[in-house]
Structure formats: structure tokens, C-alpha cells
Amino acid sequence: MKKQELIDCVEAIARQLAEQMSYEVYDVDYEKEGPNWYLRVFMDKEGGFSINDCVDFSHALEAKLEENDPIETPYILEVSSPGLDRILKKDKDFMKNLGKQADIKLYQPREGLGRSFQAELTDYDASRQMVTLTLEDGNRLELSRKEISGIRLAVIF
């Protein structure tokens, strides 16, 4: 099974289980680091995903994965919250976080902004894959997702 097919399979199993437990699957990743493969499942729920939620979901998911056995190679399962500074990857992530401050990193620097800056996520057009940001000075900037190397929620205290 190809890597993306495996991720899609695990995500489908996790979503079904999450629905039963009133959780939300935020993201699934399967990466090799050194000699080990890691299956990382990021979960969320209204009010935040606690350590106890991680333990409960990890045990339930582990049982389902063993039952379905979609992964042939040994791996380490990690279940966690995406955190306060969660990475925005999917269309739903952008839509859910409109009005929030984000840390943006670009592939190419923009004049007056550089390569990294903070701005409010003002709008998102999924069909065009365009992100509209409101800068500190009140000006708006529209960027293609292809221009953005990384975007995550800003942690502001």
C-alpha cells in the first residue's frame, strides 16, 4: 500500500472511531525517522483534547488497527492534540480559524514583510486556494497557498 493510501485508510478508521467518542481527527501522518516508522494521529474536540483523551483514543485506535492490520511494517503510534499553535493544512482548518492570528512563512520574501510575519486570517477561498490576511497596519494581502511554506496559529498571551 502506498503511503497516502495508508494514511487515508488509517484516517478513515480513526474518523469512524472518533465519531463514536465525540472527537475530531485533525490530521494523520506516517513518517520514517531514523530506523523507525511513526504513525501520528492528531485529535481535537470542543474544549480541547486532554492527556486522558489521548490515552483513551490511543488504546481504542490501537485495537482497531490491529483488527484491520493496514500497516505491514512495525511502527510507533502517537496520538496527540494539534496544540495551540496548530498547523493549518486543510481547507476546513482555514475556514474554522478565520479571524485568528497566524504565523506565516513564505517560500519567497515579500517586500516590507520578509519571509516570516504574523497576520490575521481574514478570508479563505477554497476553490482558488487563496488566503486573505489582514496585516498589522490594516492592509489586506491575498496569497496563494502555493506561496506559503507554512502557516500555523499564533500563540498570543
Side-chain angles (χ1 to χ4, degrees):
M1 189 179 303
K2 292 181 181 175
K3 182 178 168 182
Q4 190 57 52
E5 291 172 345
L6 189 137
I7 289 171
D8 293 343
C9 177
V10 169
E11 190 166 347
I13 292 168
R15 281 189 194 287
Q16 185 178 39
L17 191 57
E19 191 173 297
Q20 295 168 11
M21 299 174 80
S22 300
Y23 297 152
E24 174 191 348
V25 177
Y26 191 82
D27 197 19
V28 175
D29 200 16
Y30 185 63
E31 294 291 328
K32 186 168 185 165
E33 293 180 10
N36 299 317
W37 281 94
Y38 289 85
L39 176 62
R40 293 186 174 104
V41 181
F42 298 92
M43 302 296 298
D44 206 2
K45 77 172 187 182
E46 195 65 41
F49 201 72
S50 72
I51 299 254
N52 290 335
D53 295 327
C54 287
V55 171
D56 293 344
F57 191 78
S58 180
H59 290 308
L61 181 59
E62 188 173 40
K64 281 287 186 191
L65 290 174
E66 287 198 22
E67 179 183 310
N68 292 292
D69 202 22
I71 305 173
E72 296 174 10
T73 58
Y75 62 92
I76 298 166
L77 174 64
E78 293 180 354
V79 174
S80 66
S81 161
L84 294 175
D85 64 341
R86 60 192 61 201
I87 296 170
L88 306 182
K89 285 182 157 182
K90 300 175 182 174
D91 292 343
K92 70 178 180 78
D93 302 338
F94 285 88
M95 296 304 295
K96 187 176 181 177
N97 291 290
L98 293 177
K100 295 183 179 171
Q101 288 291 312
D103 292 321
I104 298 99
K105 291 187 180 180
L106 305 175
Y107 287 109
Q108 298 295 320
R110 282 279 181 121
E111 190 173 326
L113 293 174
R115 190 171 259 161
S116 299
F117 60 96
Q118 195 173 93
E120 179 185 320
L121 183 58
T122 308
D123 196 17
Y124 180 71
D125 184 337
S127 63
R128 296 184 321 134
Q129 296 287 289
M130 296 297 287
V131 178
T132 304
L133 303 164
T134 301
L135 303 172
E136 217 175 78
D137 62 8
N139 287 322
R140 288 189 176 212
L141 173 65
E142 188 175 65
L143 295 170
S144 163
R145 293 244 334 245
K146 291 179 182 178
E147 296 176 80
I148 301 170
S149 66
I151 184 167
R152 61 177 56 236
L153 292 183
V155 178
I156 302 169
F157 296 98

